[in-house]
Amino acid sequence: MNLTLKIWRQKSTNDQGKIVEYKVTDISEDMSFLEMIDVLNYDLVEKGDDPVTFDHDCREGICGMCSMFINGEAHGPNRGVTTCQLHMRSFKDGETIYIEPWRSAGFPVIKDLMVDRGAFDRIQQAGGFISVNTSGRTLDANAIPVPKEDADKSFDAATCIGCGACVATCPNGSAMLFVSAKVSQYALLPQGQVERKERVLNMVKKMDEEGFGNCSNIGACEVQCPKGISLENIARMNREYLMASIKPEN
Amino acid sequence: MALNSRIPEGPLDQKWTKYKNSVKLVNPANKRSIEVIVVGTGLAGASAAASLAEMGYKVKALCFQDSPRRAHSIAAQGGINAAKNYMNDGDSTFRLFYDTIKGGDYRSREGNVHRLAEVSTNIIDQCVAQGVPFARDYGGLLDNRSFGGTQVSRTFYAKGQTGQQLLLGAYSAMSRQVGKGNITLLNRHEMLDIVIVDGKARGIIARNMVTGEIERHSAHAVALCTGGYGNVFFLSTNAMGSNVTAAWRAHRRGALFANPCFTQIHPTCIPVSGDHQSKLTLMSESLRNDGRIWVPKFKEDAEAIRAKKLRPVDLAEDRRDYYLERRYPAFGNLVPRDIASRAAKERCDEGFGVNSTGEAVYLDFSAAIVRYGKAEANVKGLHNASEAEIVAMGKKVVESKYGNLFQMYEQIVAENPYETPMMIYPAVHYTMGGLWVDYELMTTIPGCYACGEANFSDHGANRLGASALMQGLADGYFVLPYTIGNYLADEIRTGAISTNTPEFEEAEKNVRNQLESFFTTNGTKPVDYFHKKLGKIMWNMCGMARNKPGLEQAIADIRQLREDFYKNVKVPGSTKGMNPELEKAARVADFIELGELMCIDALDRNESCGGHFREEYQTEEGEALRDDEKYMYVAAWEFTGNPSEPKLNKEDLVYENIKVSARSYK
Ligand SMILES: Cc1cc2nc3c(=O)[nH]c(=O)nc-3n(C[C@H](O)[C@H](O)[C@H](O)COP(=O)(O)OP(=O)(O)OC[C@H]3O[C@@H](n4cnc5c(N)ncnc54)[C@H](O)[C@@H]3O)c2cc1C
Ligand code: SF4
Ligand code: FES
């Protein structure tokens, strides 16, 4: 199939940036969306033009690097998939496709479609861990049984890939879904109890400092999240936060 | 060069304990003034960085992605081995050790492998304490599954996302140390050279991929945890950015490269669909717990299926050939990967392949769905459940075990694997070869260590499933933190290392010259053109089956390709700022040199073992035929200045605790 692409081009963080139009031809339905961009880039390089810069690595929906806003939707039209898992069979011959980067105060553009998600790392550093040294001399792994339901829920929250689609989708640019997924993973496990309060307080504080917006319960993040991270996590984090705030340590 | 593996003396099961008891220590005050650079933040790198920082060293950690959490380890699916024997099925440290040596076709070191088996159980304890949500059973205890090449269930897992959960665990430990100021993170930084001063590794040259700046970083030791080199084949299950550059640049500066030709071709991957393809996707080995592999028994059926005149679900049971169960009754669908891959290739070469290219076999879950459905019905006391109800319940169970894998498959192939068997074919997956290291994980450059997939140490000629995650975390959490002290104890008086020296100057210039050279050619072809060409040469002549004339041809072709590359490659832009094409060019330059070395190594090894299958050396039944008299050694190659003339060094392998015999899975 043949397509018209309207792609956001921006040379650097401080550059203005603009949409530029490209044509690609002979695209097969079996190609992934990123393979379609590879075809475009190959042509651009051959012609001596600057190829489109974008983040990607695993190309199987797990590393969380790919991050394109396609026709106004984070990761494109399909639910439950990342940009790299999107295939061209989801588009029609002759279609025009708009491709833009994640846009949010928390994610400055580095170049073209590539943004800086360092804020997510910094939120994690503020409390997204259990303070246990890696000596290996801990309890036997089976010493504390964990109810299967809790373990499964914790796992579901932990499958967040840190892509940032939730932030990009949210009209407020809120990072609540991402942060609440991490908070929930630990809150649901016995191992996470000791630092339960500081964790949520520290992570939320950092989230606010990084310039992410407030949550006003719109719910767009859950819809666009490629991993189906549930709004339940946000509710849980709000409870955790409240509990931690009203009962100060001493 | 004389190779000393420095395996401690004494009985096998006491070597590591004795080593730990006698190793030199660095006191806490001194640790604070010692710097270590860890290149890579996958399982090996993240766990090493976290552990070293906890111990008090000053750590710098680099990765080329935008966050440590995105290292390729994140993509590992099926699980991690540990000799916990929670299933009470006869597992033990010795058995894990034995399975690993045998699975590796008797080409790995006893001492290293036993240590790996010993620390395996600590890994699981550690990860649970960190909040890694492993799968559990209804009693709340940890669940296990089986992987290939073993007859016990020792694989811990988190659905099909085990690597993700383990890496996020290591990343969280690392984040904690970043927060405390003990680790400096250098994301989007690529190491392009290692700096050697007075014979010791003293730092690296890295490129800031956002600004394009070339930076000097000094340290008292450097640990390369930079992953495997499967992308030399262009198409592999590795992430797009996985590369050999860090290891190769260390090789060029004196680190020996061991067994480069030992690559693992994984039997269950989604088949290639066309030339546009940028990577291949794995379908985890754990699926072989429940999936049965087959092709049609008769050629006319295979032809009808290829022509889409016959649906696989309509083919009668007695017209199917479950060839693994037929050839290897004792292990069935769970034979090791090299054996399963060759068996699939054999069937497809004979004309029984089932997709339009003729290169695919079926992995079928229908029997498992019924089996699980019946079990569920029993548990729920539904003794009159209809067939449809049983199938529906069975699908739920399969979904809970492998849901994300089935979804991945459906996205790529546009077929529903709950309804029709998956089509799979072998693809390049893992590299057993890597930088040569001794028992302490030190390369032949003093002060330069290699951990995880980047080293060669534990898997011989074939790695067993779920053992790479185990090795990565073992190296980073439990081995390197001890062994590096033995070296650093002599560095406490060194003081801060200046980057303002001729050695750093020379290394930086070396990097600049290479990068700038890509812009002085008047080339016309993008980097991918050359990478794909290299991949084809490697896959066709140094892939699942190899032979002398093919390898000689491959070497000639690669030399030609290298020349062509330097003359005709076209890299847009400049060395300044973000430039992904430049990054690729530097990586492909190294892949081309490595590709040649792999072929030279494969040509030199006149035997078949594990994943290295030389067609000239096989039994009548088509199994790998080793030559222990002549080849029971590690081939450790030395860079001589000319990539076409590497020098071979041998480390003889000695088996004192295991009887070496022909591998049999029948
Ligand atoms: C799809 C897939 C599934 C798998 N499933 C399993 C499984 O179920 N069980 C199992 O045991 N094994 C599995 N494996 C194998 C296993 O995942 C890997 O062998 C292992 O994760 C490698 O870890 P590592 O830490 O050595 O390297 P990686 O995770 O590859 O990390 C490499 C790191 O090095 C960095 N790096 C590389 N070069 C440079 C450079 N020049 N400069 C700076 N940084 C650099 C990267 O940024 C990255 O951080 C799987 C592999 C694949 C491909
Ligand atoms: S919550 Fe979902 S959308 Fe947000 S970062 Fe995690 S995976 Fe991405
Ligand atoms: S490239 Fe890894 S999730 Fe898309």
Side-chain angles (χ1 to χ4, degrees):
Chain A
M1 48 181 155
N2 302 328
L3 300 161
T4 303
L5 306 176
K6 300 219 177 205
I7 304 182
W8 183 259
R9 302 300 310 260
Q10 181 173 341
K11 289 200 171 70
S12 63
T13 309
N14 299 324
D15 180 37
Q16 273 272 295
K18 59 171 190 290
I19 293 274
V20 178
E21 183 177 305
Y22 300 94
K23 303 265 183 214
V24 285
T25 53
D26 271 339
I27 297 299
S28 133
E29 291 208 323
D30 290 331
M31 281 183 189
S32 71
F33 197 82
L34 296 184
E35 283 164 353
M36 184 271 294
I37 305 276
D38 289 344
V39 171
L40 171 69
N41 276 347
Y42 195 95
D43 290 349
L44 289 176
V45 174
E46 270 191 323
K47 280 196 230 132
D49 290 340
D50 194 21
V52 179
T53 299
F54 62 98
D55 261 328
H56 67 114
D57 198 24
C58 74
R59 294 204 177 186
E60 51 188 60
I62 192 75
C63 73
M65 274 200 91
C66 62
S67 42
M68 293 184 189
F69 216 65
I70 301 166
N71 287 341
E73 292 186 85
H75 293 307
N78 298 357
R79 297 287 82 88
V81 296
T82 52
T83 303
C84 61
Q85 290 180 294
L86 182 63
H87 277 67
M88 296 314 291
R89 60 182 88 91
S90 299
F91 298 88
K92 288 190 290 296
D93 186 29
E95 207 175 319
T96 298
I97 307 175
Y98 282 82
I99 310 173
E100 293 169 81
W102 283 176
R103 292 189 193 282
S104 158
F107 294 160
V109 171
I110 293 175
K111 189 178 177 190
D112 298 340
L113 305 174
M114 181 185 276
V115 300
D116 179 354
R117 287 170 287 197
F120 273 13
D121 279 340
R122 293 188 291 273
I123 294 172
Q124 183 101 16
Q125 288 151 18
F129 47 76
I130 290 173
S131 297
V132 49
N133 272 2
T134 62
S135 65
R137 275 179 297 282
T138 54
L139 286 181
D140 181 81
N142 260 347
I144 311 174
V146 183
K148 182 169 166 54
E149 201 188 325
D150 291 348
D152 286 352
K153 271 201 183 143
S154 170
F155 168 80
D156 287 342
T159 58
C160 162
I161 57 175
C163 63
C166 45
V167 175
T169 298
C170 176
N172 308 330
S174 163
M176 286 286 273
L177 196 62
F178 166 78
V179 179
S180 68
K182 206 55 288 123
V183 167
S184 292
Q185 175 195 342
Y186 295 128
L188 285 159
L189 294 174
Q191 290 81 5
Q193 299 312 307
V194 177
E195 295 161 291
R196 194 165 171 178
K197 289 182 190 166
E198 302 103 88
R199 179 176 306 114
V200 67
L201 294 176
N202 290 339
M203 289 181 80
V204 169
K205 178 160 169 270
K206 190 72 196 170
M207 173 178 83
D208 292 341
E209 281 170 15
E210 290 287 347
F212 293 105
N214 290 324
C215 173
S216 51
N217 290 314
I218 301 169
C221 52
E222 183 187 47
V223 178
Q224 299 282 10
C225 169
K227 296 295 139 181
I229 301 297
S230 153
L231 285 178
E232 237 181 73
N233 293 302
I234 296 189
R236 184 178 298 106
M237 179 162 91
N238 285 335
R239 283 198 305 275
E240 295 281 320
Y241 188 78
L242 203 67
M243 245 173 44
S245 324
I246 55 179
K247 285 191 207 147
E249 284 295 289
N250 38 26
Chain B
M1 187 182 294
L3 288 173
N4 182 355
S5 59
R6 302 209 282 177
I7 307 275
E9 295 293 317
L12 184 64
D13 57 359
Q14 285 163 37
K15 286 183 196 290
W16 180 231
T17 311
K18 268 182 61 183
Y19 175 89
K20 284 191 292 184
N21 289 341
S22 57
V23 70
K24 284 185 237 165
L25 300 175
V26 184
N27 86 19
N30 286 329
K31 280 192 189 124
R32 267 174 250 133
S33 58
I34 290 186
E35 294 187 74
V36 182
I37 291 174
V38 178
V39 188
T41 60
L43 287 183
S47 57
S51 305
L52 295 172
E54 280 167 15
M55 294 165 78
Y57 296 111
K58 283 209 305 209
V59 176
K60 264 187 194 166
L62 284 82
C63 66
F64 63 73
Q65 293 92 344
D66 71 327
S67 162
R69 65 178 291 155
R70 310 211 197 275
H72 171 57
S73 295
I74 201 91
Q77 302 173 347
I80 176 166
N81 289 330
K84 277 281 194 188
N85 194 25
Y86 283 159
M87 298 291 131
N88 201 16
D89 54 6
D91 201 9
S92 64
T93 302
F94 186 83
R95 206 176 277 275
L96 173 53
F97 156 74
Y98 176 81
D99 286 347
T100 307
I101 297 266
K102 176 184 170 192
D105 218 356
Y106 305 93
R107 290 294 175 268
S108 46
R109 262 187 218 144
E110 280 192 342
N112 285 54
V113 175
H114 198 273
R115 174 178 66 192
L116 176 64
E118 279 174 58
V119 303
S120 69
T121 54
N122 294 23
I123 297 175
I124 305 303
D125 297 344
Q126 180 67 45
C127 292
V128 167
Q130 276 168 357
V132 172
F134 283 119
R136 288 175 184 268
D137 59 23
Y138 285 104
L141 301 183
L142 294 165
D143 196 17
N144 285 148
R145 50 170 56 143
S146 306
F147 261 57
T150 67
Q151 289 172 314
V152 295
S153 269
R154 64 161 74 98
T155 307
F156 294 78
Y157 67 100
K159 242 189 195 174
Q161 290 110 300
T162 316
Q164 179 194 29
Q165 295 311 317
L166 295 173
L167 183 61
L168 293 182
Y171 164 72
S172 71
M174 192 179 168
S175 295
R176 174 170 163 244
Q177 296 304 320
V178 177
K180 287 183 167 182
N182 299 333
I183 298 180
T184 308
L185 260 191
L186 297 167
N187 299 344
R188 294 201 201 267
H189 273 68
E190 184 154 26
M191 164 185 160
L192 292 175
D193 210 347
I194 187 161
V195 182
I196 297 175
V197 182
D198 295 335
K200 291 178 174 173
R202 287 300 193 200
I204 61 167
I205 305 294
R207 179 168 181 272
N208 177 328
M209 295 156 79
V210 176
T211 64
E213 267 160 82
I214 307 293
E215 302 172 349
R216 303 176 183 187
H217 298 277
S218 65
H220 298 84
V222 176
L224 303 179
C225 311
T226 47
Y229 52 84
N231 276 348
V232 65
F233 291 85
F234 186 72
L235 285 183
S236 83
T237 61
N238 290 8
M240 299 300 288
S242 299
N243 69 86
V244 77
T245 289
W248 194 255
R249 304 284 165 107
H251 173 59
R252 294 188 64 123
R253 295 251 180 214
L256 301 197
F257 209 103
N259 299 334
C261 81
F262 286 175
T263 40
Q264 176 162 83
I265 317 274
H266 196 296
T268 57
C269 303
I270 301 179
V272 178
S273 70
D275 267 348
H276 58 264
Q277 211 140 358
S278 57
K279 74 156 281 167
L280 297 173
T281 302
L282 174 75
M283 287 288 108
S284 165
E285 176 160 312
S286 58
L287 294 173
R288 286 199 270 145
N289 271 287
D290 286 318
R292 296 178 70 195
I293 294 180
W294 63 275
V295 292
K297 198 182 272 178
F298 304 102
K299 277 207 181 127
E300 66 258 31
D301 291 339
E303 278 155 20
I305 285 177
R306 284 202 289 270
K308 297 210 170 11
K309 288 186 195 140
L310 177 66
R311 297 189 321 155
V313 286
D314 295 333
L315 191 67
E317 202 54 31
D318 61 353
R319 296 180 74 87
R320 300 178 178 192
D321 176 15
Y322 295 91
Y323 56 87
L324 289 178
E325 296 169 30
R326 168 170 59 80
R327 285 179 65 180
Y328 307 100
F331 283 70
N333 291 296
L334 284 175
V335 290
R337 293 175 176 176
D338 52 333
I339 292 179
S341 289
R342 276 199 292 279
K345 179 177 189 299
E346 188 273 338
R347 283 293 81 188
C348 292
D349 288 351
E350 290 298 313
F352 294 94
V354 294
N355 70 352
S356 51
T357 64
E359 293 195 330
V361 301
Y362 286 128
L363 179 62
D364 194 334
F365 296 89
S366 51
I369 288 174
V370 173
R371 177 162 46 85
Y372 283 125
K374 283 188 180 152
E376 277 293 292
N378 285 339
V379 171
K380 293 186 174 147
L382 304 169
H383 298 300
N384 301 320
S386 70
E387 203 171 303
E389 284 168 336
I390 287 178
V391 167
M393 283 186 279
K395 280 181 186 162
K396 270 236 159 87
V397 177
V398 168
E399 191 193 342
S400 73
K401 287 180 178 267
Y402 314 112
N404 74 313
L405 301 174
F406 277 49
Q407 190 230 19
M408 267 158 77
Y409 183 87
E410 192 168 355
Q411 285 302 326
I412 294 170
V413 185
E415 281 186 0
N416 180 349
Y418 293 99
E419 306 292 341
T420 183
M422 280 186 182
M423 287 183 290
I424 49 149
Y425 198 69
V428 174
H429 178 60
Y430 180 88
T431 50
M432 282 76 69
L435 292 174
W436 185 91
V437 289
D438 61 18
Y439 189 73
E440 300 187 309
L441 305 182
M442 183 141 78
T443 67
T444 46
I445 302 174
C448 173
Y449 293 79
C451 306
E453 194 174 337
N455 73 27
F456 88 108
S457 71
D458 295 347
H459 307 294
N462 172 59
R463 174 176 69 80
L464 290 182
S467 286
L469 301 184
M470 170 173 72
Q471 184 221 331
L473 290 181
D475 287 0
Y477 280 143
F478 304 127
V479 180
L480 186 71
Y482 282 100
T483 60
I484 203 169
N486 209 25
Y487 175 81
L488 292 174
D490 295 332
E491 293 290 334
I492 53 176
R493 277 179 212 90
T494 308
I497 294 166
S498 165
T499 56
N500 220 342
T501 60
E503 290 86 355
F504 273 95
E505 179 82 38
E506 184 270 333
E508 181 183 326
K509 211 162 138 212
N510 180 38
V511 167
R512 280 186 194 283
N513 287 347
Q514 190 217 15
L515 296 180
E516 274 155 20
S517 75
F518 292 122
F519 300 98
T520 55
T521 60
N522 273 326
T524 52
K525 298 191 186 97
V527 177
D528 278 357
Y529 168 87
F530 299 95
H531 197 176
K532 285 187 183 182
K533 267 197 142 171
L534 174 67
K536 286 228 166 82
I537 298 173
M538 296 302 292
W539 178 247
N540 291 332
M541 293 182 273
C542 196
M544 254 189 291
R546 302 148 177 200
N547 59 49
K548 185 163 186 276
L551 289 165
E552 284 167 352
Q553 184 65 48
I555 292 169
D557 290 354
I558 294 173
R559 285 180 189 161
Q560 186 74 47
L561 184 71
R562 188 170 61 199
E563 223 170 274
D564 193 21
F565 174 76
Y566 283 108
K567 262 194 221 135
N568 291 317
V569 70
K570 176 161 189 161
V571 181
S574 72
T575 55
K576 306 259 155 35
M578 175 57 76
N579 189 345
E581 287 293 313
L582 176 62
E583 294 156 20
K584 284 202 281 188
R587 293 172 192 166
V588 169
D590 294 336
F591 276 139
I592 293 176
E593 293 187 3
L594 166 73
E596 184 175 350
L597 181 67
M598 288 167 71
C599 294
I600 292 173
D601 184 42
L603 186 61
D604 198 70
R605 195 171 272 279
N606 289 306
E607 65 163 351
S608 295
C609 58
H612 169 65
F613 192 72
R614 282 281 302 269
E615 288 172 330
E616 302 95 318
Y617 309 101
Q618 51 180 308
T619 65
E620 269 171 27
E621 288 140 339
E623 305 295 346
L625 190 61
R626 289 198 323 259
D627 182 347
D628 291 338
E629 284 285 289
K630 292 209 191 95
Y631 292 98
M632 205 143 78
Y633 63 72
V634 176
W637 297 90
E638 189 175 337
F639 189 77
T640 58
N642 176 354
S644 297
E645 286 170 8
K647 181 169 170 283
L648 176 64
N649 299 272
K650 298 178 185 174
E651 177 201 337
D652 287 324
L653 291 167
V654 184
Y655 292 91
E656 291 169 338
N657 300 278
I658 276 190
K659 192 169 152 294
V660 178
S661 60
R663 228 173 25 149
S664 167
Y665 292 95
K666 297 195 191 279

